[in-house]
Amino acid sequence: MNKIEAFEIDNAKNLTFEAIAGTFVPIDQYWRLISGKNHIILGSRGSGKTTLMKMLSYPSMISSKDQNIKSKALSNEYIGLYLPTNTEWVGSLKNKNWQTNREKENNFLWKINLASCVSLIEVLKSFVAHSFVDKNQQLLTEIDLCRILSNQWFEYEYVRFKELKNILLNVANKKEEWFIKKKYGIKNIEPIGTTFELPIFNVVKESIRLISEKLNLENTKWYICLDEAENLDDSFQAILNTYLRSSHDNFFLKIATTPYHHLTHRTNIDENVYCLHDFEYVYIDVEHKHPLMGKYEKIADEIFSTRCAYYGLNTDLTLEEILGKSPLLDNQPWTSEDSIRLNTYCTNETINRANTLFKEKKDQEFLDQIGRKIRGALQLKQEFQNHKGHRQSQIYSGRKLFIRCSDFNPRRLIRLYNLIISEIKYGEDETKKIEPGKQHELLVEFSNRELMNIKSSEGLGFDLYTFLDTIGNGLHYLFHEKKISTDFYYSIKFTEENQSKNKWQLIKRAVSIGLLFPDIQTPDVLPIFAGTFHFSFVLAPKYFLLPRRGSTINYSKILSYLDSSPEQFILPLED
Amino acid sequence: MKSFTITDIDQSQIIQNSYDICFFASGFEPRATASCKAYQLHGKKIILYYELEPETGCQIAKENISYFKTVSEDIICIKSTDDYYLSQKIIEVINTIDANCLKVFVDYTSMSTTWYSTIFYILFNLGIHCEIDFSYTIGKHQEDFPPIPINDIVPLPGFSAVQSDFSYTSTVIMGLGFNSAVAEAIYDHMEPDELFTYIANPGAFENYAKRANDVNNHLISTYSNDHFDLPLRSVENSYRILAELVNYLSTQNKTISFVSLGPKPQRLTAMLICSTFTNASYLKTLGPANTNNFPEAIGEYVLTRVSNRKSC
């Protein structure tokens, strides 16, 4: 596999269990999830939810090169099943608009029961392969297990996993046909797959009970990893909530969804489901906190190396070599030019403070309090002044900047890696470095596209684009048209007084696609209806902003600035 | 695998034919009546689908409905959202026709995919011999498409492969048109590990292919594993090319999803492929209807005969 292919698969959905295991870099939240608890994992698109879900499943854990993960799998204390809920699966729940709500719910139950049985087969295949070295023993165990399962699910006995899986798929196919033909009254068909018309997960739990004794797994805790639950409407989520609410000794749920898309706490019994009592939220988007940046950069480097190693590429290839240092983010000595910029672009207060520290020869304090914080911003302001309208710059370049502009979102990071790798030339004069000007061009285009693409995204496209563009333009103006200090705006506050349902919908959507990030004060607790949200770093190149956490400004102030002429806009730094 | 033949036909075969039922859509477009006028399908039994209540809204839709009512006294009007009623009407009408082979005409130019797929599905699952002549009036778009938000992507009922639900790999074959933002949004949503793209070439007009390629350049150059052309005016040849690709992918046990954003003959082709191959699904996008940007008819038609019997 060549360099391009190593990074083209930027989505964990489409990686095999082995590939996931070979490229997985565990984060802290991962270890929390391997437990006998129900979890709802919240992460924006591309944040790594699917990777986590797959890495919780037995086939990936047992294939892992990480000994801690592998030993967890070998202990059989927990076994996970992964349920892929792709576009087609979810779509087939939604494309039967002639059904009543009750029929739709029954269809959902049926599908999820059958899907969990298919997943069980995948797990058992992997379990048998890793638990028995002797091929004969593997075969005999497979036959026994298939007999047990097929006697439970069907009238006939099947003796191979592949055969059993195909029969399940065949039943699913016939069920789809049955729905359509029943709708059109074409011909009478007998009901299909009545075995799966049971309460949620009852079929697979019974299957597990039957095979546990055979495999010495009586004490094992099982969990089902259900991905992309944001695509399920609230009536289906209520069914899942009902399961969360009920007590289950050894069978748990891990549900992955985007933030704010656990749509309801309602169940189909008389009580709601409660966080911390029936389940826990686990928020996995990376928080844009300065002390953590170094750690995330290391992980980003690791992801790059791990992918290179897994796909047999030259592991000497580093991001630093390819991209070099960032003029905006890497520390560099303070120069006389920087001092000129400071006097040109900074507020009087900042200038006075700097002069005081210079006079007192407190060089280190100057660097810590002002220099390091503002140098990049000053360069950016000057660069924008010099290149207005032309955009031929080199300022958005360097390893740190590329990593930062991914928002540490794995999918975004890997897409950026795709751009990087495809730029590297081959041949006799192969170079490993991408010129800063080219890096700038790539990043600005990437940034533009991240926003452009949402125009057609589900439901809110245009409005969402306008909303984020308003914020971006506001932050751009505040940064470039006003004098700055060591802090500048990069976060937006929405207050209840100025909030509306429509705007809240837009905020939730922006968070789900990773273009706004909620400010988390309490771990795993997201603000509701009002709060502070951080503008994503990926949009910094588009609006010529410095991708760094900054101060907070009220959204209403941004709007009022856009409505009034710039000269009249008064800018208090603290809100 | 279902069995039927697909043949490109010409206008003379339409004119000489005697249809048992004709299906039209009144829609928002002037093109909606073009084929009926061209082939003078007067006096036939007509089932007409309309988007709007005739009393309200679009003037063109009202004119179209009025025109169709002059064409036949034997006309049944059905709202576009009521595909169940459509299916019942089809079955009811067919039961009144005494024919060895049912001959059906469908002008799908202004028709939703749900409608003509329902017509095809029912007729080919009733256990009767039938021959459907599909007609598409080629038009020329004057402007580029603004991005249209999509609300959802769902499998077309009756044209989906359940294997897709359980596949850990994803192959998408995407037909591209002039709306690159929608194509990119769908790609972003589905995140396939393999993407094949195609455009209509030769297309509706002279620089169609260049325009389509330019508009979709980013998707094609960044994500597409292979990009190829399908002739707009031949569903028969397009079907053959796509069938070869799907056959090849099937040998690798891949499940395939079709997303067809280009002109309707290519959507028809994709639908027929998904009816043939059990590992292929047709995904349709749900979103607001385009009620503004209508192509002008250029006087050409794509005519396709689909039959489940050698000769009728």
Side-chain angles (χ1 to χ4, degrees), chain A residues 17 20 24 30 33 39-41 48-58 60-61 80-83 223-228 253-257:
Chain A
F17 286 113
I20 290 262
F24 180 60
Y30 174 72
L33 295 171
H39 287 108
I40 296 182
I41 296 97
K49 298 187 296 299
T50 299
T51 301
L52 273 184
M53 291 286 102
K54 279 193 168 178
M55 275 311 297
L56 291 172
S57 71
Y58 181 88
S60 286
M61 289 180 76
L81 281 62
Y82 173 74
L83 254 69
Y223 48 77
I224 282 212
C225 306
L226 183 67
D227 203 2
E228 296 186 79
L253 268 194
K254 316 282 178 185
I255 301 172
T257 180

Side-chain angles (χ1 to χ4, degrees), chain A residues 130-161:
Chain A
H130 285 92
S131 301
F132 302 99
V133 174
D134 180 62
K135 295 285 181 198
N136 287 334
Q137 190 56 45
Q138 283 181 11
L139 180 59
L140 290 172
T141 308
E142 179 180 344
I143 290 170
D144 280 345
L145 292 176
C146 286
R147 280 203 174 119
I148 293 170
L149 294 175
S150 52
N151 279 326
Q152 183 206 354
W153 299 340
F154 308 114
E155 291 173 3
Y156 302 107
E157 220 172 61
Y158 302 96
V159 294
R160 302 306 302 270
F161 286 134

Side-chain angles (χ1 to χ4, degrees), chain B residues 155-168:
Chain B
L156 189 63
F159 297 87
S160 61
V162 165
Q163 285 88 324
S164 304
D165 293 2
F166 302 100
S167 175
Y168 294 114

Side-chain angles (χ1 to χ4, degrees), chain B residues 3 148 156 169 172 264 272 301:
Chain B
S3 175
I148 299 172
L156 189 63
T169 62
V172 168
K264 281 209 170 107
L272 293 171
Y301 304 88

